[in-house]
Amino acid sequence: MDTHPTSDATPRAAEDGQTGYVVDRFGSMRFADVLASLVRDVDLDTVADAIHAYGLQAVAEQYLRALIDAGVVHADAAGAYAEEDRILDADAQASPTVHPITVADLADEFTRLDLTDPATSCR
């Protein structure tokens, strides 16, 4: 996934451009686990470099767009709830859950992973 913002990147993803939706097929994941699963396969050094170059907000926005473009995250709630309905139609015993994921959530996860620059006062 490309974590570097580019000038040709067209902001278009979610209803408000700041939210995507993940469907937890079994309804058993905590929100923190959902976030962790979204960054599990990314090169954290590359994300840290991008945050240093472009800023936390820009990288989190680009990352959410990349997740949506890759089909990992739904761009709108309607798509996520339609997937939830498909899961329930296929398995009435399932208990899928829709998790809204915001740019701020991804930024918080990147911060939790210590990918941001340390505060000037900490140097």
Side-chain angles (χ1 to χ4, degrees):
M1 246 174 254
D2 185 14
T3 57
H4 297 284
T6 59
S7 59
D8 63 316
T10 308
R12 64 181 195 291
E15 295 167 335
D16 62 4
Q18 300 290 313
T19 305
Y21 301 85
V22 174
V23 179
D24 170 11
R25 180 174 198 81
F26 303 106
S28 60
M29 292 178 76
R30 295 175 309 133
F31 185 72
D33 296 332
V34 172
L35 285 175
S37 73
L38 294 175
V39 299
R40 182 173 299 134
D41 296 328
V42 71
D43 179 347
L44 298 180
D45 290 331
T46 301
V47 174
D49 290 344
I51 290 170
H52 178 71
Y54 301 103
L56 180 60
Q57 178 77 18
V59 171
E61 288 173 1
Q62 180 65 24
Y63 195 74
L64 180 59
R65 281 193 295 273
L67 290 169
I68 290 169
D69 289 347
V72 174
V73 173
H74 292 274
D76 58 33
Y81 286 110
E83 181 179 343
E84 182 182 54
D85 289 343
R86 282 190 298 276
I87 292 168
L88 288 170
D89 287 344
D91 180 3
Q93 301 303 312
S95 57
T97 303
V98 174
H99 298 276
I101 303 294
T102 66
V103 168
D105 294 329
L106 289 170
D108 287 347
E109 183 68 3
F110 293 151
T111 301
R112 186 190 71 74
L113 292 169
D114 200 25
L115 303 179
T116 59
D117 293 330
T120 306
S121 62
C122 295
R123 292 183 187 180

